Amino acid sequence: MTVGNMESAELFDAGKKGRGLRATKELTAGEVVFAEPSFSAVVFDSLATQVCHSCFRHQANLHRCAQCKFAHYCDRTCQTACWDEHKQECGAIKKISKVPSENVRLAARVLWRIHKDTGIVSDSQLISVDQLQDHVADLSEEDLKQLKTDVHTFLEYWSCGRQQHSADYISHIFGIIKCNGFTLSDQRGLQAVGVGLFPNLCLVNHDCWPNCTVILNHGNQAAVSSALHSKRRIELRALGKISEGEELTVSYVDFLNLSADRQRKLKERFHFECSCEHCSQHIKDDLMMAAADSEGNKPSADQVKEVTAFSKDCLEKIERSRIEKDYHQVMKLCCECLEKQGNLLADTNLYKLRVLSVASEVLSYLQSFPEAANYARRMVEGYTKLYHPSNAQLGMAIMRAGVIHWHAGQIELGHSMICKAYAILLITHGPNHAITRDLESMRVQTEMELKMFKQNECEYHTMRDAALKNQPMVSSS
């Protein structure tokens, strides 16, 4: 699909939700509805030296801009590709001798681009950037205080002989960024590394059980011929069959929260009341708060209330220990919490799932793979009962669990999980995304190892142990 092509979607009046996008033809699972380059985007302050400011890939040994000494790039190709975006920023940073926050930098980049290209930069862009909703009037007192600070910083940053703007207009741009900024992840989908504005994507309304998903395609700057290079862009992908005329939706928040919590988060961040089917009918809330049912013996309401309160407190302690990188304390707390939850909370209960997730992640980091695999398997079983079957986060969780089982020597289950994850990510990310390509390599490798395992289990484990110890292996044949 051509980047920016909007043949599969059109703007329409979505009633109480305002404007929205709907399909102009029938779409199938994994089909790209549209791809859109960013209007403007910036790397987070904390990762400015670790992430390329052009392609947003996490890389070692980045090259620093010789002029402002702030921006970093994979190579000269990425730097050249980004120069139009960085040129004005580079001069402003040099003149004030300091780097403002990512919000101020993004607001400045947006305005520089509006001055250069206007708010609409292509025929396929359906709305001007400065016509997006800002919700400044709905901001809390604390947010308004931060907005005032950002505007003041912006005026210092911007006051270098350029066109001036009123505080109200600058506030409007900051409001647009706050409500419409899309978080950008690195090439492996493992870390949020920046934020960008994508005007057409901003027109796609929310649903907690959506029919589309959004991924970042980092583009390709590696080809020898610049004619073969492709831009960084988001892709809106169909999660299943979508009928012609059906509204296109994405989820603005993680589904793995109670409906009331999702509604609260959406109200606080995006300033609307979610009335989607899953929120209005509280679908799956019962599973997310489920008590264990062991042979018909359910715990009392008081027992569930007590263990839930204990779990909340324990998760706060776990998070503090994670921040302090005291991983043995993290595991001690996880084990205590899981023991307390025991036969009181079901494996779909959010508090149990959160502990299982942390335990599998930390044990994997500590290379205790057999123990990690047990927790990861239980976590995936719970996720599968809660998430949409083509949810990207479900696919990533199954992928991680599959890799853990593979490292634990449980090749059959590991390969099965990797295959399931691959099927999901083919839909959510497509076959050419870096994550999907990595997963395809793992799928081929584990398939080969599984054949070896079935032919001679003893020799397979001998080979595997030798590989782990990085020692040569003498074949038994």
Side-chain angles (χ1 to χ4, degrees), residues 321 325-334 362 366:
S321 295
K325 297 184 179 181
D326 187 351
Y327 298 123
H328 292 288
Q329 178 64 14
V330 169
M331 283 313 305
K332 180 174 180 288
L333 290 165
C334 284
V362 169
L366 296 173

PDB file of all heavy atoms in Angstrom, residues 321 325-334 362 366:
ATOM      1  N   SER A 321      10.549  -2.435  44.565  1.00  0.00           N
ATOM      2  CA  SER A 321      11.745  -3.288  44.507  1.00  0.00           C
ATOM      3  C   SER A 321      12.260  -3.426  43.080  1.00  0.00           C
ATOM      4  O   SER A 321      13.471  -3.514  42.855  1.00  0.00           O
ATOM      5  CB  SER A 321      11.427  -4.680  45.083  1.00  0.00           C
ATOM      6  OG  SER A 321      11.122  -4.584  46.455  1.00  0.00           O
ATOM      7  N   LYS A 325      15.861  -2.379  41.508  1.00  0.00           N
ATOM      8  CA  LYS A 325      16.549  -3.525  40.896  1.00  0.00           C
ATOM      9  C   LYS A 325      16.941  -4.592  41.920  1.00  0.00           C
ATOM     10  O   LYS A 325      17.937  -5.301  41.753  1.00  0.00           O
ATOM     11  CB  LYS A 325      17.781  -3.053  40.107  1.00  0.00           C
ATOM     12  CG  LYS A 325      17.415  -2.138  38.938  1.00  0.00           C
ATOM     13  CD  LYS A 325      18.619  -1.755  38.109  1.00  0.00           C
ATOM     14  CE  LYS A 325      18.196  -0.871  36.939  1.00  0.00           C
ATOM     15  NZ  LYS A 325      19.338  -0.492  36.073  1.00  0.00           N
ATOM     16  N   ASP A 326      16.130  -4.687  42.957  1.00  0.00           N
ATOM     17  CA  ASP A 326      16.328  -5.741  43.969  1.00  0.00           C
ATOM     18  C   ASP A 326      15.461  -6.930  43.555  1.00  0.00           C
ATOM     19  O   ASP A 326      14.375  -7.155  44.088  1.00  0.00           O
ATOM     20  CB  ASP A 326      15.926  -5.215  45.357  1.00  0.00           C
ATOM     21  CG  ASP A 326      16.266  -6.206  46.464  1.00  0.00           C
ATOM     22  OD1 ASP A 326      16.650  -7.356  46.149  1.00  0.00           O
ATOM     23  OD2 ASP A 326      16.132  -5.827  47.647  1.00  0.00           O
ATOM     24  N   TYR A 327      15.954  -7.696  42.569  1.00  0.00           N
ATOM     25  CA  TYR A 327      15.120  -8.713  41.945  1.00  0.00           C
ATOM     26  C   TYR A 327      14.843  -9.915  42.854  1.00  0.00           C
ATOM     27  O   TYR A 327      13.810 -10.570  42.722  1.00  0.00           O
ATOM     28  CB  TYR A 327      15.760  -9.163  40.631  1.00  0.00           C
ATOM     29  CG  TYR A 327      15.857  -8.020  39.633  1.00  0.00           C
ATOM     30  CD1 TYR A 327      17.088  -7.653  39.097  1.00  0.00           C
ATOM     31  CD2 TYR A 327      14.735  -7.288  39.251  1.00  0.00           C
ATOM     32  CE1 TYR A 327      17.194  -6.591  38.207  1.00  0.00           C
ATOM     33  CE2 TYR A 327      14.828  -6.228  38.368  1.00  0.00           C
ATOM     34  CZ  TYR A 327      16.059  -5.883  37.846  1.00  0.00           C
ATOM     35  OH  TYR A 327      16.154  -4.836  36.967  1.00  0.00           O
ATOM     36  N   HIS A 328      15.757 -10.197  43.756  1.00  0.00           N
ATOM     37  CA  HIS A 328      15.501 -11.305  44.685  1.00  0.00           C
ATOM     38  C   HIS A 328      14.376 -10.928  45.656  1.00  0.00           C
ATOM     39  O   HIS A 328      13.554 -11.772  46.022  1.00  0.00           O
ATOM     40  CB  HIS A 328      16.795 -11.673  45.424  1.00  0.00           C
ATOM     41  CG  HIS A 328      17.827 -12.281  44.522  1.00  0.00           C
ATOM     42  ND1 HIS A 328      17.702 -13.558  44.003  1.00  0.00           N
ATOM     43  CD2 HIS A 328      18.986 -11.766  44.007  1.00  0.00           C
ATOM     44  CE1 HIS A 328      18.742 -13.812  43.227  1.00  0.00           C
ATOM     45  NE2 HIS A 328      19.541 -12.746  43.213  1.00  0.00           N
ATOM     46  N   GLN A 329      14.325  -9.659  46.047  1.00  0.00           N
ATOM     47  CA  GLN A 329      13.219  -9.197  46.885  1.00  0.00           C
ATOM     48  C   GLN A 329      11.912  -9.223  46.088  1.00  0.00           C
ATOM     49  O   GLN A 329      10.856  -9.569  46.629  1.00  0.00           O
ATOM     50  CB  GLN A 329      13.496  -7.788  47.399  1.00  0.00           C
ATOM     51  CG  GLN A 329      12.389  -7.163  48.241  1.00  0.00           C
ATOM     52  CD  GLN A 329      12.134  -7.903  49.550  1.00  0.00           C
ATOM     53  OE1 GLN A 329      12.936  -8.742  49.973  1.00  0.00           O
ATOM     54  NE2 GLN A 329      11.016  -7.610  50.193  1.00  0.00           N
ATOM     55  N   VAL A 330      11.992  -8.878  44.815  1.00  0.00           N
ATOM     56  CA  VAL A 330      10.801  -8.952  43.944  1.00  0.00           C
ATOM     57  C   VAL A 330      10.244 -10.360  43.952  1.00  0.00           C
ATOM     58  O   VAL A 330       9.034 -10.570  44.127  1.00  0.00           O
ATOM     59  CB  VAL A 330      11.145  -8.520  42.496  1.00  0.00           C
ATOM     60  CG1 VAL A 330       9.978  -8.853  41.551  1.00  0.00           C
ATOM     61  CG2 VAL A 330      11.444  -7.028  42.428  1.00  0.00           C
ATOM     62  N   MET A 331      11.121 -11.354  43.772  1.00  0.00           N
ATOM     63  CA  MET A 331      10.641 -12.748  43.729  1.00  0.00           C
ATOM     64  C   MET A 331      10.119 -13.209  45.085  1.00  0.00           C
ATOM     65  O   MET A 331       9.148 -13.967  45.148  1.00  0.00           O
ATOM     66  CB  MET A 331      11.763 -13.676  43.247  1.00  0.00           C
ATOM     67  CG  MET A 331      11.991 -13.619  41.744  1.00  0.00           C
ATOM     68  SD  MET A 331      10.449 -13.708  40.780  1.00  0.00           S
ATOM     69  CE  MET A 331       9.712 -15.221  41.412  1.00  0.00           C
ATOM     70  N   LYS A 332      10.738 -12.746  46.146  1.00  0.00           N
ATOM     71  CA  LYS A 332      10.250 -13.104  47.491  1.00  0.00           C
ATOM     72  C   LYS A 332       8.814 -12.594  47.669  1.00  0.00           C
ATOM     73  O   LYS A 332       7.930 -13.321  48.143  1.00  0.00           O
ATOM     74  CB  LYS A 332      11.174 -12.500  48.553  1.00  0.00           C
ATOM     75  CG  LYS A 332      10.779 -12.790  49.997  1.00  0.00           C
ATOM     76  CD  LYS A 332      11.857 -12.255  50.942  1.00  0.00           C
ATOM     77  CE  LYS A 332      11.496 -12.517  52.407  1.00  0.00           C
ATOM     78  NZ  LYS A 332      10.392 -11.658  52.870  1.00  0.00           N
ATOM     79  N   LEU A 333       8.575 -11.341  47.248  1.00  0.00           N
ATOM     80  CA  LEU A 333       7.241 -10.741  47.365  1.00  0.00           C
ATOM     81  C   LEU A 333       6.238 -11.439  46.438  1.00  0.00           C
ATOM     82  O   LEU A 333       5.087 -11.677  46.821  1.00  0.00           O
ATOM     83  CB  LEU A 333       7.310  -9.250  47.044  1.00  0.00           C
ATOM     84  CG  LEU A 333       8.021  -8.368  48.063  1.00  0.00           C
ATOM     85  CD1 LEU A 333       8.334  -6.992  47.466  1.00  0.00           C
ATOM     86  CD2 LEU A 333       7.165  -8.205  49.322  1.00  0.00           C
ATOM     87  N   CYS A 334       6.668 -11.773  45.224  1.00  0.00           N
ATOM     88  CA  CYS A 334       5.786 -12.467  44.274  1.00  0.00           C
ATOM     89  C   CYS A 334       5.345 -13.818  44.834  1.00  0.00           C
ATOM     90  O   CYS A 334       4.157 -14.180  44.762  1.00  0.00           O
ATOM     91  CB  CYS A 334       6.493 -12.677  42.931  1.00  0.00           C
ATOM     92  SG  CYS A 334       6.618 -11.196  41.914  1.00  0.00           S
ATOM     93  N   VAL A 362      10.998 -11.452  35.731  1.00  0.00           N
ATOM     94  CA  VAL A 362      12.191 -11.352  36.580  1.00  0.00           C
ATOM     95  C   VAL A 362      12.973 -12.666  36.580  1.00  0.00           C
ATOM     96  O   VAL A 362      14.203 -12.668  36.474  1.00  0.00           O
ATOM     97  CB  VAL A 362      11.793 -10.947  38.019  1.00  0.00           C
ATOM     98  CG1 VAL A 362      12.981 -11.093  38.968  1.00  0.00           C
ATOM     99  CG2 VAL A 362      11.291  -9.512  38.038  1.00  0.00           C
ATOM    100  N   LEU A 366      16.784 -13.387  35.417  1.00  0.00           N
ATOM    101  CA  LEU A 366      17.745 -14.085  36.268  1.00  0.00           C
ATOM    102  C   LEU A 366      18.159 -15.442  35.678  1.00  0.00           C
ATOM    103  O   LEU A 366      18.925 -16.176  36.291  1.00  0.00           O
ATOM    104  CB  LEU A 366      17.152 -14.293  37.670  1.00  0.00           C
ATOM    105  CG  LEU A 366      16.848 -13.019  38.463  1.00  0.00           C
ATOM    106  CD1 LEU A 366      16.113 -13.355  39.760  1.00  0.00           C
ATOM    107  CD2 LEU A 366      18.119 -12.220  38.747  1.00  0.00           C
TER     108      LEU A 366
END
